[in-house]
């Protein structure tokens, strides 16, 4: 059940549900939980990794999110980068173009200078090009020829990869995986949804209609999300879940402190999207697999299923009572 949370007289949670979640789901039909996870990442100021087979709608999801946002003046709503082995870092960050007449070389912004960046098949680029994303994703800036350039705000990377076809790919290093707030696995839609897609009966084709939200609306919604109450008991629970991954025999190593912070931020965003002014243990549990599973490496004892290991840990780590999590 949702309630109304206002900030500055605006029901931002309601606007996000109708102007973003509902709208994107009309394009990315039948997979509302994945749509909500994408919006949670946006609200938490993070980035999303989408895995799935070709033709399952990974790029459609990112484009639908971008189509709902009106860009700030001089900024693109979204840009797509097709990652390939020969892609150079300057082709995504931008470069300085020398002038024949001399003088200071002007900076030519790359496709990272957009509110939503679709990094398609990110694991096909070389490690050097992948690393060019690290500064951008973590610090919201790029450095070219010794000069730093700020990226637009909000800045949201949606990266896609095919987890099955690994020919000619470079596995994402742990440092880069850790930059993604959450990972979702896109499967095939239900038969009813696939029938609607095949018949062209989507109620709102991808990108149809004017944008529902401005860039400043997203920033205001982020401020309201940051105001969602989180108690020490709840933070302690998130820390306990993270610590459990570091001592679990079914995992090789555990999650970072960045992951713990992302878990709390995502739980806040989950509560906010549901219209609640405080987060509780159920919010942590609902986002834990998406936030943590891609950051750990299963051992031979786990059967290779990190999500199942995280799910099992959640049943064993004691959760605080809901009353203790209320403001």
């Amino acid at each position: 059940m949702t309630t109304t949370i206002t900030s500055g007289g605006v029901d931002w949670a309601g606007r996000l549900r109708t102007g973003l979640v509902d709208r994107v789901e009309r394009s990315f039909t039948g997979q509302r939980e994945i749509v909500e996870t994408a919006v949670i990442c946006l609200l938490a100021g993070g980035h999303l990794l989408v895995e799935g087979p070709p033709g399952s709608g990974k790029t459609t999801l990112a484009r639908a999110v971008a189509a709902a946002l009106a860009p700030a003046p001089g900024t693109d709503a979204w840009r797509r980068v097709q990652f390939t082995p020969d892609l150079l870092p300057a082709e995504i960050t931008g470069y300085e173009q020398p002038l024949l007449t001399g003088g200071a070389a002007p900076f030519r912004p790359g496709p990272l200078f957009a509110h939503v960046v679709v990094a398609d098949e990110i694991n096909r680029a070389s490690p050097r090009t992948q690393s060019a994303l690290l500064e951008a994703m973590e610090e919201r800036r790029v450095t070219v020829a010794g000069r730093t350039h700020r990226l637009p705000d909000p800045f949201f990377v949606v990266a896609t990869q095919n987890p099955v076809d690994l020919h000619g790919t470079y596995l994402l290093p742990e440092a880069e995986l850790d930059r993604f707030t959450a990972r979702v696995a896109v499967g095939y839609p239900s038969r009813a949804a696939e029938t609607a897609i095949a018949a062209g009966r989507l109620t709102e084709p991808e990108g149809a209609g004017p944008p529902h939200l401005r860039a400043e609306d997203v920033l205001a919604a982020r401020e309201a999300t940051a105001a969602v109450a989180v108690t020490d008991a709840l933070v302690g629970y998130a820390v306990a879940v993270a610590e459990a991954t570091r001592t679990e025999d079914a995992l090789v190593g555990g999650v970072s402190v960045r992951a713990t912070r992302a878990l709390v931020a995502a739980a806040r965003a989950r509560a906010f999207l549901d219209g609640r002014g405080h987060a509780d243990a159920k919010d942590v549990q609902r986002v834990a697999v998406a936030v943590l599973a891609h950051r750990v490496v299963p051992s031979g004892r786990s059967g290779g299923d990190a999500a199942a290991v995280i799910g099992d840990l959640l049943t064993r780590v004691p959760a605080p009572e809901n009353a203790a999590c209320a403001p």
Side-chain angles (χ1 to χ4, degrees), residues 44-319:
H47 309 287
L48 179 68
L49 179 62
V50 185
E51 292 186 348
S56 55
K58 301 184 296 295
T59 303
T60 298
L61 169 63
R63 292 183 63 176
V65 171
L69 302 179
T75 303
D76 291 326
W78 81 285
R79 296 287 298 276
R80 176 181 177 179
V81 183
Q82 184 65 50
F83 278 64
T84 57
D86 59 349
L87 186 71
L88 298 176
E91 293 180 90
I92 62 172
T93 61
Y95 59 93
E96 290 190 349
Q97 184 175 24
L99 298 176
L100 295 177
T101 57
F107 176 66
R108 305 296 184 186
L112 287 184
F113 287 80
H115 289 304
V116 180
V117 176
V118 182
D120 216 358
E121 295 190 281
I122 187 175
N123 56 332
R124 294 200 178 277
S126 68
R128 181 184 177 192
T129 301
Q130 289 178 11
S131 67
L133 281 176
L134 294 180
E135 181 185 25
M137 294 173 67
E138 183 71 15
E139 302 181 32
R140 273 52 173 187
R141 68 184 185 184
V142 297
T143 301
V144 177
R147 290 198 290 177
T148 299
H149 306 271
R150 301 295 304 181
L151 293 169
D153 202 9
F155 173 68
F156 182 40
V157 173
V158 181
T160 73
Q161 65 176 6
N162 180 351
V164 178
D165 179 14
L166 299 179
H167 179 71
T169 64
Y170 301 86
L171 294 178
L172 298 182
E174 291 183 12
E176 188 162 354
L177 284 171
D178 205 28
R179 261 64 173 186
F180 289 101
T181 299
R183 179 189 63 182
V184 294
V186 177
Y188 294 108
S190 66
R191 185 167 187 173
E194 187 169 0
T195 300
I197 294 170
R201 291 198 296 266
L202 291 178
T203 57
E204 184 172 333
E206 178 188 334
H212 287 226
L213 298 167
R214 300 169 301 170
E216 51 264 42
D217 293 335
V218 175
L219 298 180
R222 283 182 177 177
E223 289 186 7
T225 301
V228 170
V230 173
T231 65
D232 291 344
L234 187 61
V235 174
Y237 175 56
V239 171
V241 171
E243 288 177 338
T245 68
R246 300 164 191 159
T247 58
E248 174 57 50
D249 291 338
L251 298 175
V252 179
V255 300
S256 66
V257 175
R258 182 187 288 110
T260 311
R261 186 176 60 188
L263 183 59
V264 174
R268 265 197 171 105
R270 176 72 269 175
F272 173 80
L273 200 58
D274 286 346
R276 288 179 283 109
H278 68 278
D280 60 27
K282 290 183 179 179
D283 295 311
V284 173
Q285 293 162 359
R286 288 180 67 184
V287 301
V289 171
V291 172
L292 302 180
H294 65 288
R295 305 173 193 261
V296 297
V297 178
S299 67
R301 296 183 55 183
S302 69
D305 191 343
V309 175
I310 298 299
D312 180 60
L313 287 178
L314 292 173
T315 66
R316 291 189 274 123
V317 177

